[in-house]
Amino acid sequence: MYDVILFGGTDEGHKIADFLSQKNISHIVCVATEYGAQILDSVNVHTGRMTAEEMKEFFEEKGAKLVVDATHPYADKVTENIKKACQCKYIRIVRGDIESSGKSFDNMRSAAEYLEGTDGNILITTGSKELACFSGLSKRAYARVLPTVESIKLCQDAGFEMKRIICMQGPFSKELNSALINELDIKYLVTKRSGKSGGFVEKIEAAKENNTECIIIDRPVTEVGLSVEEAEKMILEWL
């Protein structure tokens, strides 16, 4: 039995997990992948994706008083399932947005269609999950993804040769991004509007420094929720 079930895998999730440990609040952290579990400094971890029905059963089994959703702002389907399954108190942690210059697109597909009408090398930093949208650009694009077997396979399935797959774990500084842009002669950088903790600022600044055009994938939904600090305060009040 746990007081809190935390859906993490993000910087915000790590901060909340640390906070719960420091306050001796019993909790279990849910992450989607083994990689997410490996980089998490927590004893109680549940690994694996769940449907809404599976989440409901999981919540009932663990007897949670509170569910904290600190998933990625682009994991909208996961958040939808959590809300659908949750029958106790629920907190959604949202990541602040940052205004920036660049071309914005609603989704990966529309961004890929735009890039198909351009020339020059492309650096894709949106992860491996939807990389198939860029398969038509695989001969002049580089994919920067997490260093996992699953990520590499998704890259290869999308038509990316090994020499065009960059496996690295962030966070990435502006200097590192800039060096990569220069080394690979990048003309277009594809990024999600992931916010400050998602390394968005460092990518935007590096691109600007090198006259590289930013291709920005907007968030799927505009969310209302709490900051990490606000969530921590509410957790203490509720528990």
Side-chain angles (χ1 to χ4, degrees):
M1 306 293 280
Y2 298 96
D3 288 330
V4 177
I5 294 178
L6 168 64
F7 284 82
T10 58
D11 182 62
E12 293 85 357
H14 291 181
K15 289 176 180 176
I16 292 293
D18 290 343
F19 169 79
L20 294 172
S21 295
Q22 291 166 9
K23 298 298 181 180
N24 294 316
I25 297 172
S26 64
H27 65 281
I28 184 168
V29 186
C30 298
V31 294
T33 65
E34 289 291 344
Y35 177 81
Q38 289 171 11
I39 63 174
L40 188 67
D41 185 21
S42 186
V43 176
N44 301 314
V45 181
H46 176 274
T47 305
R49 296 178 175 87
M50 293 184 279
T51 64
E53 187 58 38
E54 288 170 336
M55 286 180 184
K56 184 179 178 182
E57 293 176 2
F58 184 78
F59 296 164
E60 291 174 351
E61 176 190 334
K62 302 304 178 185
K65 298 176 182 176
L66 172 65
V67 172
V68 179
D69 178 5
T71 56
H72 198 277
Y74 288 78
D76 53 317
K77 296 300 181 185
V78 179
T79 290
E80 182 181 319
N81 284 340
I82 295 171
K83 288 180 178 179
K84 192 180 296 183
C86 189
Q87 296 180 338
C88 60
K89 292 184 184 295
Y90 168 86
I91 290 177
R92 172 58 173 155
I93 296 176
V94 295
R95 186 179 292 177
D97 199 0
I98 298 170
E99 290 299 322
S100 61
S101 59
K103 281 189 167 57
S104 296
F105 296 87
D106 291 338
N107 52 57
M108 302 285 188
R109 177 58 62 192
S110 58
E113 289 173 355
Y114 168 77
L115 287 168
E116 284 167 4
T118 66
D119 295 308
N121 290 343
I122 303 163
L123 177 60
I124 303 169
T125 66
T126 53
S128 59
K129 189 177 178 182
E130 297 181 77
L131 197 60
C133 293
F134 299 97
S135 59
L137 301 160
S138 61
K139 300 305 178 185
R140 64 183 177 98
Y142 294 86
R144 188 170 75 186
V145 298
L146 290 172
T148 67
V149 173
E150 180 185 13
S151 293
I152 294 173
K153 185 178 186 306
L154 287 170
C155 289
Q156 291 178 317
D157 290 346
F160 284 75
E161 298 178 12
M162 287 299 294
K163 64 182 180 180
R164 291 189 173 273
I165 304 172
I166 304 165
C167 294
M168 301 176 72
Q169 178 187 330
F172 305 104
S173 65
K174 184 194 77 171
E175 290 74 20
L176 194 153
N177 286 324
S178 186
L180 199 56
I181 288 170
N182 272 294
E183 178 69 24
L184 301 176
D185 191 25
I186 299 299
K187 302 302 180 187
Y188 302 91
L189 185 148
V190 185
T191 177
K192 293 177 179 177
R193 197 181 293 278
S194 53
K196 185 176 180 180
S197 62
F200 182 66
V201 174
E202 289 79 5
K203 286 188 277 189
I204 293 296
E205 290 180 348
K208 183 178 180 180
E209 189 176 85
N210 293 280
N211 295 314
T212 297
E213 183 174 349
C214 279
I215 306 301
I216 303 169
I217 313 301
D218 283 329
R219 297 183 184 184
V221 293
T222 301
E223 293 188 287
V224 176
L226 305 177
S227 67
V228 169
E229 293 74 19
E230 290 169 335
E232 290 174 349
K233 182 179 179 181
M234 187 167 286
I235 289 169
L236 292 179
E237 289 176 354
W238 282 359
L239 296 180

